[in-house]
Every structure is written in C-alpha cells, then in structure tokens.
Amino acid sequence: GGNAALVARAKGDLERYLNKLEDKARKALEMKRCFRNGVADDRARAAFHSEFPTDHYPAAPLRAYRFTTAGGCMNRRDDAGAPRNPLLKIGFNPDRPLWSNKIILVDEGHHLTRPISRFQEQLTTLRDMVFAATGSVLAVFTGTIVDSHMGEAEELLRIVKGMQAVLRGGGYDGFMSTHHSRPETHFARTVPAGIIDGRLTQ
C-alpha cells in the first residue's frame, strides 16, 4: 500500500510539473499581446528583457493551425490588401506573396499533393500559398510520400523548393532528408523516460 501511494504521489507531481511546463512553453511560443498590427510591442519586449536579460527576443510567435484554417480563413485580406490574420501581419510585405518571410512546418505534408476530397479547396489554397512564398523556410513532414504514382514525390519536392527555385531549375539536392529510425543524433531524447511523444502537444 505504501509503495502504491508513493507511485500515485509521484505521478501526480509529474503531471503537475508537465502541466506547468506546458503552460510556460505555450506562453513563450504564442507570444500573445506581444505584437500590434504586425509590429513588436515595446512594452512586451522590455518586459521580456527584464525577465530574461541574456536571451534574444523571439522574432515572431509560433502557432499551430489545421489545414482547413491555414488554407481557408487565415488567408483573408482587408480592403487595403493586408492580411486579417495577426500572425500573417508579422513580416508582411505587400509586394510579396502572403506567406513570405515565414518559417512553415507542415505535418502530414502529402495532403498538399493528395488532398482529402472534403478539404480539397483549402489544401489546394495552402499548397499554392507556400509554393509562391519567398524568403520563407518550408519543412514538410510525411511518412507516405508516394501513394498512387512516383510523380507524387517530385511534385511534393517542387512545393518544398518553391516557385523561384523551381524556375531557376536544378535538382533536389539538399531538399530532402529521410529517417527510417530515431537516431539520437537527429531526434531529441525524451525526458523523463516513458513520456509518450504526444503528451506535450495535446
């Protein structure tokens, strides 16, 4: 009975620790109320440097969007042509495509070339947006890069390269990396051991 109580208490402490860690990570990454009309708020910047004097102030927040949002309402513009979405206002240049000057991570990226039928419009829009973007870093992750025909892999790589690089020609060297296992040299070690991968992202 004593051991069971200790285990239950340890699990409770771990759960509370993870919840606090998750809250702090979300607060740091989302940077809510740190930007106004795409420009960093000076008061938020000063507060950050006061609390973390040796750290660099993040250039922009991190957000996670569903395909339906990223390829849908997120791309709406106002009457002047500026993006309505607060995130896309950061680094926005009216002379460049909407998704320019961003770091974009796409999970299950095969949907860009093989869209789900009920979300085809949004996925097609998202594909066109990231393909046209300039000055952006695009990383696409997928475990099913080829399904119906071999051309799917090249089509996805063209999206990753972007329109400007495709127009310049050349091969795909440096645009693709494959991992069939989880070597410690490439993947972060999970601490404490036993925490499933999805725990901190749910």
Side-chain angles (χ1 to χ4, degrees), residues 104-180:
I104 307 164
L105 310 178
V106 182
D107 195 17
E108 302 295 340
H110 55 275
H111 290 305
L112 295 177
T113 55
R114 200 181 331 129
I116 305 170
S117 57
R118 66 180 182 278
F119 301 136
Q120 184 165 359
E121 180 180 353
Q122 294 93 333
L123 286 165
T124 300
T125 297
L126 178 60
R127 179 197 65 199
D128 294 344
M129 288 289 184
V130 297
F131 179 64
T134 61
S136 289
V137 175
L138 173 62
V140 174
F141 305 92
T142 178
T144 52
I145 192 170
V146 177
D147 183 48
S148 58
H149 60 87
M150 291 302 296
E152 284 188 18
E154 183 173 7
E155 186 178 354
L156 188 57
L157 283 170
R158 283 169 55 86
I159 296 171
V160 173
K161 286 184 69 173
M163 182 184 297
Q164 289 189 335
V166 168
L167 292 175
R168 286 196 299 267
Y172 297 105
D173 290 348
F175 286 96
M176 183 174 181
S177 177
T178 61
H179 298 279
H180 302 287

XYZ file of all heavy atoms in Angstrom, residues 104-180:
592
model
N 7.659 27.738 -41.919
C 6.417 26.973 -42.047
C 6.729 25.487 -41.899
O 7.553 24.942 -42.639
C 5.756 27.229 -43.417
C 5.593 28.738 -43.659
C 4.418 26.512 -43.521
C 5.326 29.085 -45.115
N 6.090 24.850 -40.954
C 6.238 23.407 -40.740
C 4.907 22.741 -41.063
O 3.881 23.111 -40.488
C 6.638 23.103 -39.299
C 7.822 23.901 -38.727
C 8.058 23.509 -37.274
C 9.073 23.671 -39.552
N 4.931 21.777 -41.968
C 3.700 21.106 -42.398
C 3.806 19.618 -42.073
O 4.634 18.911 -42.658
C 3.446 21.301 -43.908
C 2.139 20.625 -44.311
C 3.409 22.783 -44.261
N 2.979 19.162 -41.139
C 2.935 17.734 -40.838
C 1.929 17.059 -41.767
O 1.004 17.700 -42.264
C 2.536 17.516 -39.387
C 2.830 16.096 -38.915
O 3.622 15.399 -39.577
O 2.268 15.691 -37.881
N 2.127 15.775 -42.010
C 1.285 15.037 -42.962
C 1.247 15.780 -44.303
O 0.197 15.984 -44.908
C -0.126 14.855 -42.397
C -0.195 14.129 -41.068
C 0.268 12.681 -41.150
O 0.281 12.112 -42.269
O 0.618 12.127 -40.105
N 2.434 16.193 -44.740
C 2.535 17.061 -45.911
C 2.085 16.451 -47.220
O 1.886 17.173 -48.200
N 1.895 15.121 -47.260
C 1.433 14.502 -48.506
C 0.049 14.994 -48.900
O -0.356 14.871 -50.056
C 1.434 12.971 -48.372
C 0.656 12.471 -47.213
N 1.197 12.369 -45.943
C -0.634 12.054 -47.102
C 0.275 11.902 -45.118
N -0.844 11.701 -45.788
N -0.686 15.594 -47.925
C -2.009 16.119 -48.257
C -1.920 17.313 -49.212
O -2.918 17.670 -49.847
C -2.759 16.531 -46.993
C -3.186 15.373 -46.150
N -3.951 14.329 -46.635
C -2.942 15.079 -44.845
C -4.163 13.449 -45.673
N -3.566 13.870 -44.581
N -0.754 17.931 -49.323
C -0.600 19.055 -50.243
C -0.676 18.597 -51.698
O -1.106 19.356 -52.567
C 0.740 19.763 -49.997
C 0.904 20.449 -48.639
C 2.300 21.024 -48.516
C -0.150 21.522 -48.444
N -0.273 17.369 -51.952
C -0.332 16.851 -53.323
C -1.443 15.825 -53.502
O -1.790 15.483 -54.620
C 1.005 16.185 -53.709
O 1.331 15.172 -52.745
C 2.121 17.210 -53.747
N -1.978 15.345 -52.374
C -3.045 14.362 -52.417
C -4.134 14.777 -51.434
O -4.354 14.150 -50.404
C -2.488 12.989 -52.046
C -3.332 11.817 -52.491
C -2.710 10.503 -52.042
N -1.279 10.531 -51.913
C -0.615 10.125 -50.826
N -1.259 9.692 -49.780
N 0.712 10.158 -50.778
N -4.808 15.901 -51.719
C -5.726 16.469 -50.737
C -6.941 15.592 -50.456
O -7.458 14.916 -51.344
C -6.158 17.797 -51.380
C -5.954 17.585 -52.843
C -4.766 16.686 -52.963
N -7.372 15.616 -49.196
C -8.616 14.956 -48.825
C -9.752 15.636 -49.564
O -9.828 16.860 -49.627
C -8.828 15.046 -47.305
C -7.619 14.468 -46.564
C -10.098 14.332 -46.877
C -7.636 14.728 -45.074
N -10.662 14.868 -50.126
C -11.686 15.430 -51.009
C -12.498 16.524 -50.332
O -12.763 17.578 -50.930
C -12.615 14.320 -51.508
O -13.216 13.628 -50.416
N -12.880 16.334 -49.072
C -13.747 17.337 -48.434
C -12.983 18.611 -48.059
O -13.592 19.626 -47.757
C -14.427 16.745 -47.195
C -13.527 16.371 -46.047
C -14.346 15.808 -44.896
N -13.583 15.464 -43.725
C -12.915 14.331 -43.552
N -12.935 13.417 -44.511
N -12.245 14.102 -42.434
N -11.638 18.562 -48.074
C -10.842 19.744 -47.780
C -9.995 20.153 -48.987
O -8.986 20.852 -48.832
C -9.925 19.491 -46.579
C -10.656 19.120 -45.323
C -10.201 18.082 -44.529
C -11.799 19.798 -44.940
C -10.863 17.729 -43.370
C -12.481 19.452 -43.774
C -12.014 18.421 -42.992
N -10.393 19.722 -50.166
C -9.560 19.946 -51.338
C -9.323 21.430 -51.608
O -8.208 21.838 -51.953
C -10.197 19.288 -52.566
C -9.324 19.406 -53.821
C -9.773 18.459 -54.914
O -10.708 17.706 -54.746
N -9.096 18.503 -56.040
N -10.355 22.242 -51.447
C -10.205 23.673 -51.723
C -9.179 24.317 -50.791
O -8.291 25.058 -51.234
C -11.555 24.376 -51.571
C -11.492 25.870 -51.843
C -12.845 26.539 -51.693
O -13.864 25.830 -51.513
O -12.886 27.787 -51.739
N -9.281 24.013 -49.489
C -8.351 24.614 -48.528
C -6.928 24.107 -48.721
O -5.969 24.881 -48.645
C -8.805 24.321 -47.097
C -10.117 24.971 -46.709
C -11.313 24.064 -46.945
O -11.272 23.194 -47.814
N -12.365 24.240 -46.158
N -6.785 22.812 -48.974
C -5.445 22.242 -49.157
C -4.801 22.751 -50.441
O -3.584 22.986 -50.489
C -5.521 20.724 -49.156
C -5.761 20.096 -47.779
C -6.195 18.643 -47.909
C -4.511 20.198 -46.919
N -5.591 22.931 -51.482
C -5.057 23.482 -52.726
C -4.606 24.919 -52.522
O -3.545 25.331 -53.017
C -6.114 23.410 -53.840
O -6.481 22.038 -54.053
C -5.564 23.981 -55.138
N -5.389 25.689 -51.782
C -5.015 27.073 -51.486
C -3.719 27.117 -50.683
O -2.812 27.907 -50.982
C -6.130 27.783 -50.701
O -7.304 27.848 -51.505
C -5.711 29.195 -50.317
N -3.626 26.266 -49.659
C -2.420 26.228 -48.842
C -1.208 25.851 -49.679
O -0.139 26.469 -49.557
C -2.604 25.233 -47.697
C -1.403 25.031 -46.778
C -1.003 26.336 -46.106
C -1.713 23.962 -45.732
N -1.366 24.854 -50.543
C -0.264 24.435 -51.420
C 0.205 25.600 -52.281
O 1.408 25.874 -52.408
C -0.722 23.286 -52.313
C 0.346 22.791 -53.298
C -0.296 21.969 -54.390
N -1.189 22.787 -55.213
C -2.147 22.293 -55.987
N -2.357 20.983 -56.023
N -2.898 23.095 -56.710
N -0.721 26.324 -52.881
C -0.362 27.442 -53.750
C 0.308 28.561 -52.963
O 1.232 29.223 -53.459
C -1.607 27.971 -54.468
C -2.203 26.963 -55.444
O -1.497 25.996 -55.792
O -3.378 27.136 -55.836
N -0.161 28.778 -51.726
C 0.405 29.849 -50.900
C 1.860 29.570 -50.542
O 2.729 30.445 -50.662
C -0.429 30.026 -49.627
C -1.780 30.656 -49.851
S -1.602 32.416 -50.278
C -3.335 32.891 -50.368
N 2.152 28.360 -50.057
C 3.520 28.054 -49.632
C 4.450 27.909 -50.837
O 5.638 28.224 -50.761
C 3.569 26.793 -48.743
C 2.784 27.012 -47.470
C 3.056 25.562 -49.480
N 3.918 27.465 -51.968
C 4.734 27.337 -53.167
C 5.171 28.707 -53.674
O 6.306 28.898 -54.118
C 3.945 26.603 -54.255
C 4.695 26.436 -55.551
C 5.853 25.672 -55.603
C 4.240 27.023 -56.722
C 6.550 25.500 -56.796
C 4.918 26.869 -57.909
C 6.081 26.112 -57.951
N 4.288 29.696 -53.584
C 4.593 31.034 -54.098
C 5.418 31.864 -53.127
O 6.028 32.867 -53.524
C 3.289 31.765 -54.418
N 5.459 31.485 -51.853
C 6.126 32.293 -50.828
C 7.610 32.488 -51.138
O 8.272 31.609 -51.688
C 5.958 31.635 -49.459
N 8.128 33.655 -50.777
C 9.549 33.957 -50.945
C 10.144 34.320 -49.592
O 9.460 34.848 -48.711
C 9.751 35.127 -51.921
O 9.101 36.305 -51.391
C 9.167 34.812 -53.284
N 11.416 34.021 -49.418
C 12.084 34.330 -48.168
C 11.605 33.494 -47.003
O 11.846 33.843 -45.843
N 10.929 32.401 -47.273
C 10.398 31.532 -46.222
C 11.186 30.229 -46.136
O 11.850 29.830 -47.091
C 8.917 31.204 -46.480
O 8.105 32.336 -46.271
N 11.098 29.593 -44.983
C 11.641 28.253 -44.793
C 10.452 27.309 -44.678
O 9.588 27.501 -43.822
C 12.505 28.169 -43.518
C 12.948 26.731 -43.273
C 13.700 29.107 -43.626
N 10.393 26.327 -45.547
C 9.290 25.371 -45.549
C 9.824 23.972 -45.286
O 10.663 23.467 -46.033
C 8.550 25.400 -46.893
C 7.471 24.335 -47.104
C 6.350 24.492 -46.081
C 6.922 24.389 -48.530
N 9.353 23.355 -44.212
C 9.707 21.968 -43.895
C 8.431 21.142 -43.919
O 7.468 21.460 -43.223
C 10.378 21.879 -42.528
N 8.432 20.100 -44.736
C 7.260 19.236 -44.898
C 7.601 17.849 -44.361
O 8.635 17.283 -44.717
C 6.837 19.150 -46.378
C 5.713 18.130 -46.551
C 6.383 20.518 -46.877
N 6.731 17.319 -43.510
C 6.958 16.004 -42.903
C 5.871 15.042 -43.362
O 4.682 15.378 -43.348
C 6.932 16.114 -41.377
C 7.894 17.119 -40.829
C 7.491 18.426 -40.600
C 9.201 16.769 -40.545
C 8.376 19.372 -40.101
C 10.098 17.699 -40.049
C 9.682 19.009 -39.822
N 6.275 13.856 -43.774
C 5.317 12.848 -44.196
C 5.951 11.465 -44.120
O 7.158 11.310 -44.318
C 4.805 13.108 -45.626
O 3.901 12.069 -45.997
C 5.958 13.144 -46.622
N 5.128 10.482 -43.829
C 5.593 9.099 -43.850
C 5.075 8.344 -45.051
O 5.395 7.174 -45.259
N 4.265 9.022 -45.876
C 3.666 8.395 -47.063
C 3.842 9.318 -48.249
O 2.883 9.856 -48.794
C 2.166 8.120 -46.836
O 1.530 9.338 -46.386
C 1.961 7.054 -45.778
N 5.098 9.505 -48.641
C 5.391 10.473 -49.695
C 4.899 10.006 -51.063
O 4.587 10.798 -51.936
C 6.908 10.781 -49.732
C 7.177 11.996 -50.615
C 7.707 9.574 -50.189
C 8.586 12.500 -50.516
N 4.826 8.686 -51.275
C 4.370 8.151 -52.557
C 3.202 7.207 -52.301
O 3.272 6.339 -51.444
C 5.500 7.391 -53.283
C 4.972 6.797 -54.578
C 6.670 8.316 -53.572
N 2.128 7.402 -53.043
C 0.968 6.532 -52.862
C 0.515 5.955 -54.195
O 0.619 4.762 -54.440
C -0.180 7.299 -52.209
C -1.380 6.421 -51.928
O -1.173 5.335 -51.366
O -2.497 6.810 -52.273
N 0.014 6.804 -55.078
C -0.578 6.301 -56.313
C 0.387 6.292 -57.496
O 0.283 5.439 -58.366
C -1.816 7.131 -56.671
O -1.481 8.497 -56.805
N 1.345 7.226 -57.528
C 2.283 7.241 -58.655
C 3.587 7.889 -58.208
O 3.620 8.688 -57.277
C 1.695 7.995 -59.855
C 1.352 9.424 -59.559
N 2.260 10.444 -59.668
C 0.196 9.997 -59.145
C 1.683 11.594 -59.351
N 0.426 11.348 -59.017
N 4.687 7.544 -58.873
C 6.010 8.003 -58.472
C 6.160 9.508 -58.601
O 6.982 10.125 -57.941
C 7.082 7.286 -59.299
C 7.208 5.807 -58.994
S 7.589 5.481 -57.261
C 9.193 6.255 -57.139
N 5.353 10.126 -59.436
C 5.448 11.571 -59.620
C 5.053 12.367 -58.392
O 5.363 13.562 -58.297
N 4.375 11.733 -57.430
C 3.954 12.448 -56.227
C 5.143 12.979 -55.444
O 5.100 14.089 -54.912
C 3.127 11.526 -55.326
C 1.707 11.304 -55.801
C 0.893 10.540 -54.776
O 1.320 10.494 -53.615
O -0.155 10.002 -55.147
N 6.215 12.186 -55.358
C 7.383 12.614 -54.597
C 7.987 13.870 -55.209
O 8.303 14.834 -54.504
C 8.412 11.490 -54.551
N 8.132 13.882 -56.521
C 8.707 15.058 -57.178
C 7.779 16.263 -57.063
O 8.235 17.398 -56.884
C 8.992 14.765 -58.647
C 9.667 15.934 -59.356
C 10.114 15.586 -60.758
O 9.784 14.479 -61.236
O 10.785 16.424 -61.374
N 6.490 16.020 -57.148
C 5.532 17.119 -57.019
C 5.638 17.764 -55.637
O 5.608 18.993 -55.504
C 4.112 16.591 -57.244
C 3.044 17.675 -57.269
C 1.655 17.119 -57.534
O 1.535 15.907 -57.812
O 0.689 17.898 -57.451
N 5.783 16.948 -54.596
C 5.912 17.479 -53.249
C 7.238 18.223 -53.082
O 7.298 19.281 -52.446
C 5.801 16.357 -52.224
C 5.728 16.764 -50.753
C 4.554 17.710 -50.514
C 5.598 15.533 -49.865
N 8.287 17.700 -53.666
C 9.582 18.363 -53.589
C 9.569 19.707 -54.312
O 10.244 20.657 -53.903
C 10.674 17.462 -54.174
C 11.127 16.318 -53.267
C 12.020 15.349 -54.024
C 11.863 16.866 -52.045
N 8.806 19.801 -55.381
C 8.673 21.083 -56.079
C 8.031 22.132 -55.158
O 8.427 23.298 -55.155
C 7.825 20.922 -57.348
C 8.562 20.280 -58.516
C 7.592 19.921 -59.635
N 6.805 21.072 -60.077
C 7.199 21.963 -60.992
N 8.387 21.807 -61.567
N 6.421 22.961 -61.352
N 7.051 21.713 -54.385
C 6.408 22.631 -53.448
C 7.411 23.075 -52.385
O 7.476 24.250 -52.022
C 5.188 21.958 -52.796
C 4.132 21.643 -53.849
C 4.598 22.852 -51.709
C 2.979 20.794 -53.345
N 8.211 22.135 -51.888
C 9.211 22.463 -50.877
C 10.248 23.440 -51.433
O 10.637 24.404 -50.756
C 9.893 21.185 -50.359
C 11.056 21.536 -49.443
C 8.886 20.308 -49.616
N 10.686 23.226 -52.666
C 11.668 24.124 -53.265
C 11.109 25.525 -53.447
O 11.810 26.518 -53.263
C 12.111 23.590 -54.635
C 13.021 22.394 -54.580
C 13.501 21.988 -55.962
C 14.446 22.998 -56.544
N 15.038 22.524 -57.821
N 9.844 25.630 -53.789
C 9.247 26.939 -54.011
C 9.336 27.370 -55.462
O 10.166 26.878 -56.231
N 8.473 28.291 -55.822
C 8.356 28.699 -57.216
C 9.660 29.267 -57.771
O 10.082 28.930 -58.880
C 7.242 29.748 -57.351
C 6.993 30.202 -58.781
S 5.748 31.512 -58.873
C 4.297 30.652 -58.254
N 10.316 30.131 -57.015
C 11.528 30.759 -57.527
C 12.626 29.741 -57.804
O 13.303 29.799 -58.828
C 12.027 31.824 -56.552
C 11.138 33.068 -56.499
C 11.778 34.186 -55.700
O 12.614 33.930 -54.820
N 11.387 35.412 -55.965
N 12.814 28.781 -56.872
C 13.846 27.762 -57.055
C 13.508 26.836 -58.213
O 14.392 26.411 -58.966
C 14.029 26.960 -55.774
N 12.230 26.516 -58.376
C 11.810 25.656 -59.488
C 12.093 26.343 -60.808
O 12.584 25.725 -61.772
C 10.311 25.301 -59.363
C 9.804 24.660 -60.649
C 10.090 24.360 -58.188
N 11.818 27.633 -60.887
C 12.053 28.379 -62.120
C 13.547 28.467 -62.451
O 13.925 28.507 -63.624
C 11.462 29.785 -62.021
C 9.934 29.860 -61.973
C 9.467 31.289 -61.758
C 9.318 29.287 -63.247
N 14.389 28.466 -61.405
C 15.840 28.503 -61.640
C 16.353 27.160 -62.122
O 17.439 27.066 -62.686
C 16.573 28.905 -60.361
C 16.443 30.371 -60.005
C 17.477 30.775 -58.973
N 17.337 30.035 -57.738
C 16.621 30.463 -56.697
N 15.978 31.618 -56.766
N 16.551 29.744 -55.595
N 15.585 26.092 -61.906
C 16.000 24.762 -62.351
C 16.905 24.092 -61.332
O 16.992 24.486 -60.171
N 17.593 23.051 -61.768
C 18.471 22.317 -60.868
C 17.765 21.128 -60.237
O 16.571 20.912 -60.432
N 18.510 20.376 -59.468
C 17.974 19.165 -58.860
C 17.384 19.411 -57.486
O 17.033 20.542 -57.133
N 17.305 18.320 -56.719
C 16.681 18.400 -55.405
C 17.679 18.150 -54.280
O 17.278 17.869 -53.151
C 15.540 17.393 -55.317
C 14.435 17.682 -56.304
C 14.280 16.912 -57.454
C 13.556 18.736 -56.097
C 13.274 17.181 -58.372
C 12.551 19.023 -57.004
C 12.409 18.242 -58.135
O 11.409 18.527 -59.036
N 18.970 18.269 -54.578
C 19.979 18.076 -53.546
C 19.755 19.076 -52.417
O 19.611 20.281 -52.645
C 21.386 18.264 -54.114
C 21.788 17.144 -55.067
O 21.065 16.145 -55.094
O 22.796 17.295 -55.772
N 19.752 18.562 -51.198
C 19.582 19.430 -50.042
C 18.147 19.717 -49.679
O 17.875 20.393 -48.685
N 17.202 19.203 -50.456
C 15.793 19.481 -50.199
C 15.064 18.299 -49.574
O 13.869 18.384 -49.325
C 15.076 19.882 -51.490
C 15.421 21.270 -51.957
C 16.409 21.473 -52.897
C 14.759 22.375 -51.438
C 16.726 22.757 -53.329
C 15.070 23.654 -51.860
C 16.057 23.847 -52.798
N 15.771 17.203 -49.331
C 15.087 16.021 -48.818
C 15.973 15.275 -47.829
O 17.182 15.157 -48.026
C 14.706 15.079 -49.966
C 13.929 13.861 -49.527
S 13.374 12.876 -50.945
C 12.499 11.563 -50.126
N 15.366 14.813 -46.740
C 16.063 14.010 -45.754
C 15.129 12.902 -45.303
O 13.951 13.145 -45.045
C 16.468 14.873 -44.548
O 17.093 14.082 -43.562
N 15.626 11.673 -45.238
C 14.779 10.553 -44.833
C 15.327 9.921 -43.558
O 16.543 9.845 -43.359
C 14.721 9.474 -45.935
O 16.055 8.963 -46.159
C 14.177 10.047 -47.221
N 14.416 9.489 -42.713
C 14.798 8.836 -41.459
C 13.915 7.606 -41.277
O 12.702 7.717 -41.157
C 14.609 9.782 -40.275
C 15.453 11.012 -40.352
N 16.783 11.042 -39.980
C 15.168 12.269 -40.788
C 17.270 12.245 -40.167
N 16.315 13.015 -40.656
N 14.550 6.438 -41.260
C 13.815 5.185 -41.081
C 13.902 4.689 -39.642
O 13.380 3.633 -39.311
C 14.344 4.125 -42.041
C 14.244 4.539 -43.477
N 13.045 4.596 -44.150
C 15.186 4.967 -44.347
C 13.258 5.011 -45.389
N 14.537 5.241 -45.529
